Amino acid sequence: MCPEPGQFALRGGIIDLFSFSDNRPYRIDFFGDNVEKIKIFDVDSQRSVEEVQSIKIFPDIYTDVQEATEDIFTFAGEYTVLWITDHEYFSGQIDLISRHMNEEGRLMERTRFEEAVSLHKSFLFAPVTRQFEKYEKIEFHTVPQPVFNKNFELLARDISKRISEGYDVSVLSENPAQTERIRSIFSSIEGLGNTRFNAERISIHEGFVDHIARICVYTDHQIFERHRRVKPRRTVEKSERLTINELNSYEIGDFIVHADHGIGQFGGLVKTNVNGRQQEAVKLVYKDGDVIFVSIHGLHRISRYKSRDAQPPRIYKLGTGAWQKLKSQTKSKVKDIANDLIDLYSKRRDSKGFAFAADTFLQKELESSFIYEDTPDQIKATEAIKEDMEKDYPMDRLICGDVGFGKTEVAIRAAFKAVADSKQVAVLVPTTILALQHYKTFISRLKNFPCNISYISRLKTAGEIREISASLAEGSTDIVIGTHRLLNKEIMFKDLGLLIIDEEQKFGVAAKERLRQLKLNVDTLTLSATPIPRTLQFSLLGARDLSIINTPPPNRLPVQTEVIDFNHDIIRDAINYEVDRGGQVFFVHNRVEDINSMEDIVRRLCPNVKTCIGHGKMEPKRLEKTVLDFMMGDYDVMISTTIVENGIDIPNANTIIINQAQNFGLSDLHQLRGRVGRSNTKAFCYLVVGIDDISGRGCKKEDKGHRDLL
């Protein structure tokens, strides 16, 4: 089946192979020794998708070579030229390697090593000063790309000047939308609409100007001052190999659901005879020994059984119609729920909303100022939100995406679109820490734009809240970010146009009743990594619009998660490793009464690290200062309750230790683990389930139940 790169399968005159250079496998059809056809095929369905004329097959160049029998210069050739930017450092490394290199149990002599890596048969490494005397000095008349600081008038004048001097000017971008943004910005500035340049759909590390070739090569990521997107190693998409991987993970006796026949038990992979040809099939066993065989072409009809209940499901006998009756009853209940939902949301759809105008120059400039490359799902979600906001009925969209996948950036763009049309925006969050985090994020992203931002939480005094409320009523505040206090009847808006709800699952029934009053005619955007079933059901039924951000940011690494006992050595090593590499640590201890004792334990284990404590019962100003100091790097370890669960974004914190993890729900653990691994640094999550040193509470080592669940 060749589900992964590096695999191949031979079946008669057909060879299936999966090259490391491609993300889909090939099927080569031979007629004798001649290749008759080459086709790309789908991993899941095993069906041919497209015919090609030729292919290139590459090995896994990332595999470590265990033995090297020849040096690289043997293959490079006798007249190879090697460029060394620092020959003194290079020579020093030769000395170091020659002293430590061991071959067959003895040190390699310097002269033998030098001969092995020599650039030429007559070229040796001593003395350094004479090595390059016979080579001509070469000068490159190039300079780096100028720095424009996102000043597009300066950029346009530079391009016009270069063209008048006979230079060929090109702007490189892997995303064509970026070069179109530049042209759009030029056209919106008076006198710059005629600025012309070549757009190339490639990318390089840095732009340059070559005065000999008379060319200027500018890069979009330098123009917009964003990080260059580095393409990760090409691999198979998870969705393409999901069915194969699940099939390989099935064990005899696992419950499997067939779309037509219901729940059965996995009986293994067997070979069947179909029209004289042997094929592999999945064996499913039902009540009283009834058996069906599912061909590999019908794998999309089966799936693993999932349930919240611990009780095994009921298995029916084939041919009784029980499964069809159960499906009919379920469909009827779904219809009842759907009717209720339709009644609920038709009121919003029938109500008259505000149709926002199309994007302005400022909107495009904001999106271009994002220092990271948008992921494909971020682009789709942003476009869907804009389309909804520009319609004349209220928007109600759920953005569902994993933690750290860029939901906040999408919300910022929606908020600014509302502000650009003279509407106010309310951002509702569940915790004071998240309100402060979002406030700083919004301030950072919108600092160069005409937008007034405030936030309301228990960190604010009563006088400050009254002042903010007055500014909202008179319309001088454009965006307000707040916790439940934002739902008070005293908070009035002059012209609310958009409501953004972050982590809706954290709000109770009373809060949502108040939300219904707020958002009857207001565009609503909901963000969540772990939506509650009702919210997700609304979206899946089509009563609410749904956008999924499923693409991780470039170079995002998975968080390594381990279940451990309360072990001093492991905790000490985890903290010291993170601090030694310049990072920070979250230590989640969700008991306020003895959180100071836990800090004493951490200090005793790691006396050289700086620790701080954060929990919801602290004095508001002190809590705010503690969190800000930790964000600024003044502390190495923050011992806290679950106040850090939602939205905290500290890229430098890449280790989290969760004490008594068995007491948390899976949604909570997922959110807590999402506090780390928010950069391109490898992150670690330790779920501590053993009895701790403070209270003696927790699951015992013999208790396997919690471990299996985690």
Side-chain angles (χ1 to χ4, degrees):
M1 293 184 180
C2 303
E4 296 181 354
Q7 298 181 347
F8 71 94
L10 175 61
R11 303 194 311 276
I14 296 176
I15 297 178
D16 290 347
L17 59 89
F18 208 144
S19 173
F20 284 97
S21 61
D22 295 286
N23 57 5
R24 290 189 295 181
Y26 293 102
R27 178 164 293 154
I28 306 175
D29 193 351
F30 282 88
F31 183 76
D33 294 334
N34 298 322
V35 176
E36 194 171 56
K37 291 182 180 179
I38 303 175
K39 295 182 178 180
I40 300 172
F41 70 92
D42 183 77
V43 174
D44 294 337
S45 67
Q46 295 291 304
R47 294 181 178 178
S48 299
V49 177
E50 177 185 352
E51 185 172 347
V52 294
Q53 297 301 315
S54 63
I55 61 173
K56 293 182 180 180
I57 305 172
F58 293 92
D60 185 4
I61 61 174
Y62 292 89
T63 303
D64 293 332
V65 179
Q66 300 297 325
E67 281 190 33
T69 56
E70 299 285 349
D71 61 83
I72 188 173
F73 302 107
T74 302
F75 297 96
E78 182 178 356
Y79 298 101
T80 301
V81 176
L82 180 67
W83 297 92
I84 304 173
T85 57
D86 191 340
H87 59 81
E88 292 183 1
Y89 170 79
F90 187 75
S91 180
Q93 290 297 106
I94 295 297
D95 289 332
L96 179 64
I97 296 173
S98 64
R99 286 197 303 269
H100 294 284
M101 193 169 185
N102 186 298
E103 182 184 29
E104 298 177 359
R106 59 185 175 83
L107 290 176
M108 177 181 269
E109 298 176 1
R110 175 181 172 83
T111 54
R112 289 188 59 202
F113 179 75
E114 289 171 347
E115 290 174 0
V117 298
S118 62
L119 305 182
H120 190 272
K121 291 180 179 179
S122 62
F123 183 78
L124 298 179
F125 282 91
V128 174
T129 55
R130 294 204 307 268
Q131 292 173 17
F132 297 95
E133 291 178 354
K134 60 182 178 180
Y135 293 104
E136 179 183 355
K137 183 178 180 181
I138 301 176
E139 294 184 0
F140 295 94
H141 296 276
T142 61
V143 295
Q145 175 178 332
V147 177
F148 300 107
N149 293 320
K150 292 189 287 189
N151 186 329
F152 294 97
E153 293 187 18
L154 182 62
L155 171 63
R157 287 197 297 268
D158 178 85
I159 292 176
S160 300
K161 180 174 178 287
R162 297 291 186 184
I163 293 176
S164 65
E165 293 174 352
Y167 286 80
D168 187 18
V169 181
S170 299
V171 176
L172 309 186
S173 174
E174 291 182 340
N175 184 3
Q178 288 295 91
T179 51
E180 289 303 317
R181 283 177 180 172
I182 296 175
R183 288 195 172 101
S184 176
I185 291 172
F186 285 167
S187 62
S188 63
I189 300 176
E190 186 176 355
L192 302 182
N194 295 325
T195 305
R196 296 290 180 265
F197 57 85
N198 301 321
E200 302 293 342
R201 196 172 179 178
I202 57 175
S203 181
I204 59 177
H205 182 63
E206 292 180 352
F208 62 91
V209 178
D210 190 327
H211 296 297
I212 300 296
R214 311 292 284 180
I215 60 173
C216 298
V217 179
Y218 296 161
T219 66
D220 69 316
H221 59 86
Q222 287 177 282
I223 292 174
F224 291 113
E225 294 183 355
R226 68 171 68 190
H227 299 300
R228 176 176 176 249
R229 180 174 182 174
V230 180
K231 284 188 176 181
R233 180 186 173 191
R234 296 183 71 184
T235 184
V236 188
E237 294 294 332
K238 183 178 180 181
S239 60
E240 294 180 2
R241 62 174 188 244
L242 179 62
T243 304
I244 299 297
N245 286 348
E246 282 194 345
L247 185 61
N248 292 333
S249 68
Y250 289 164
E251 296 181 1
I252 302 297
D254 283 354
F255 293 107
I256 306 295
V257 181
H258 192 286
D260 300 322
H261 303 288
I263 303 172
Q265 288 184 288
F266 182 61
L269 291 173
V270 297
K271 291 186 177 180
T272 60
N273 192 298
V274 180
N275 297 326
R277 299 179 61 184
Q278 278 196 341
Q279 288 187 357
E280 279 191 322
V282 178
K283 180 181 178 181
L284 296 183
V285 182
Y286 290 81
K287 187 177 180 180
D288 297 336
D290 291 350
V291 175
I292 63 170
F293 298 96
V294 181
S295 166
I296 59 172
H297 299 299
L299 295 182
H300 62 284
R301 305 291 294 171
I302 64 175
S303 61
R304 187 189 297 273
Y305 172 78
K306 298 178 182 179
S307 174
R308 293 176 296 175
D309 301 326
Q311 297 296 326
R314 185 176 179 180
I315 299 178
Y316 298 98
K317 184 177 177 62
L318 293 177
T320 61
W323 175 249
Q324 300 300 330
K325 183 179 179 181
L326 181 62
K327 288 205 303 183
S328 298
Q329 292 175 348
T330 304
K331 288 180 180 178
S332 177
K333 291 182 179 180
V334 169
K335 287 181 180 179
D336 292 339
I337 296 173
N339 289 332
D340 293 339
L341 295 175
I342 290 172
D343 290 340
L344 175 65
Y345 283 93
S346 64
K347 295 178 181 178
R348 281 183 49 84
R349 186 59 62 93
D350 292 339
S351 60
K352 190 69 174 177
F354 180 79
F356 289 89
D359 287 354
T360 62
F361 160 70
L362 290 175
Q363 182 76 29
K364 295 178 181 179
E365 188 171 331
L366 169 68
E367 295 177 7
S368 300
S369 66
F370 189 43
I371 64 172
Y372 300 101
E373 185 80 15
D374 291 348
T375 64
D377 288 344
Q378 275 183 307
I379 296 174
K380 291 179 182 178
T382 302
E383 292 302 320
I385 292 171
K386 290 178 181 178
E387 289 179 7
D388 289 351
M389 294 180 68
E390 292 171 10
K391 294 176 181 177
D392 60 356
Y393 55 83
M395 172 181 70
D396 201 344
R397 180 170 290 273
L398 168 66
I399 303 295
C400 186
D402 207 348
V403 288
F405 275 32
K407 300 187 296 296
T408 304
E409 172 62 24
V410 173
I412 290 173
R413 298 177 184 184
F416 186 72
K417 184 176 180 66
V419 173
D421 246 354
S422 302
K423 290 287 185 177
Q424 291 175 300
V425 180
V427 183
L428 187 63
V429 298
T431 65
T432 57
I433 300 301
L434 182 53
L436 178 62
Q437 175 85 46
H438 274 354
Y439 173 71
K440 292 190 172 296
T441 302
F442 272 69
I443 286 289
S444 174
R445 287 289 286 120
L446 300 175
K447 62 183 178 181
N448 296 323
F449 299 91
C451 186
N452 296 321
I453 307 171
S454 297
Y455 80 102
I456 294 176
S457 72
R458 70 184 188 89
L459 300 177
K460 295 285 188 180
T461 64
E464 290 174 330
I465 292 178
R466 284 195 298 269
E467 184 178 342
I468 295 173
S469 178
S471 66
L472 287 171
E474 67 184 19
S476 57
T477 294
D478 300 306
I479 300 176
V480 62
I481 303 164
T483 57
H484 296 73
R485 292 201 173 192
L486 198 60
L487 301 176
N488 290 346
K489 294 181 179 180
E490 291 77 15
I491 304 297
M492 302 297 293
F493 295 87
K494 180 181 180 181
D495 192 4
L496 182 63
L498 176 64
L499 174 64
I500 300 174
I501 307 172
D502 197 2
E503 306 299 347
E504 184 189 32
Q505 74 275 7
K506 294 294 181 180
F507 294 96
V509 175
K512 289 178 181 177
E513 287 298 325
R514 173 62 178 157
L515 284 178
R516 287 193 181 95
Q517 300 175 15
L518 274 177
K519 65 176 186 176
L520 183 61
N521 295 310
V522 174
D523 284 12
T524 305
L525 181 64
T526 303
L527 314 176
S528 181
T530 54
I532 60 176
R534 186 179 67 174
T535 299
L536 190 59
Q537 182 78 351
F538 284 3
S539 301
L540 294 178
L541 289 175
R544 300 178 67 174
D545 295 313
L546 173 67
S547 292
I548 298 177
I549 300 181
N550 197 37
T551 311
N555 301 329
R556 178 65 56 87
L557 301 175
V559 179
Q560 182 174 328
T561 307
E562 297 182 17
V563 181
I564 64 172
D565 298 315
F566 194 90
N567 184 295
H568 286 182
D569 294 334
I570 297 177
I571 293 174
R572 179 193 301 112
D573 293 344
I575 294 175
N576 286 335
Y577 174 78
E578 184 62 49
V579 174
D580 288 344
R581 66 173 181 171
Q584 294 170 283
V585 180
F586 288 114
F587 194 110
V588 178
H589 181 79
N590 203 32
R591 293 197 302 266
V592 177
E593 61 269 19
D594 51 23
I595 196 170
N596 292 295
S597 300
M598 183 57 68
E599 183 186 30
D600 293 338
I601 293 175
V602 173
R603 285 179 172 175
R604 189 171 67 250
L605 293 176
C606 307
N608 296 323
V609 303
K610 298 178 181 179
T611 63
C612 64
I613 290 178
H615 57 80
K617 294 185 178 180
M618 293 174 62
E619 194 271 328
K621 292 296 182 182
R622 181 186 168 197
L623 176 61
E624 180 182 14
K625 184 178 185 304
T626 300
V627 174
L628 290 176
D629 290 345
F630 184 72
M631 293 171 62
M632 296 300 295
D634 294 342
Y635 296 103
D636 301 314
V637 182
M638 182 177 185
I639 299 97
S640 72
T641 57
T642 55
I643 60 169
V644 300
E645 176 182 343
N646 296 108
I648 298 299
D649 186 8
I650 304 178
N652 194 48
N654 284 297
T655 293
I656 186 169
I657 301 171
I658 306 172
N659 191 29
Q660 300 298 297
Q662 74 279 354
N663 296 331
F664 296 88
L666 292 179
S667 174
D668 295 328
L669 290 176
H670 184 73
Q671 290 283 359
L672 286 169
R673 188 180 67 165
R675 299 314 103 210
V676 297
R678 305 177 76 90
S679 63
N680 59 355
T681 303
K682 182 67 176 177
F684 301 90
C685 174
Y686 297 93
L687 306 177
V688 183
V689 297
I691 299 175
D692 61 38
D693 290 357
I694 299 176
S695 63
R697 291 179 288 186
C699 64
K700 299 179 180 179
K701 294 183 180 180
E702 304 84 42
D703 185 2
K704 302 295 184 182
H706 289 304
R707 295 176 179 275
D708 294 340
L709 176 62
L710 294 173

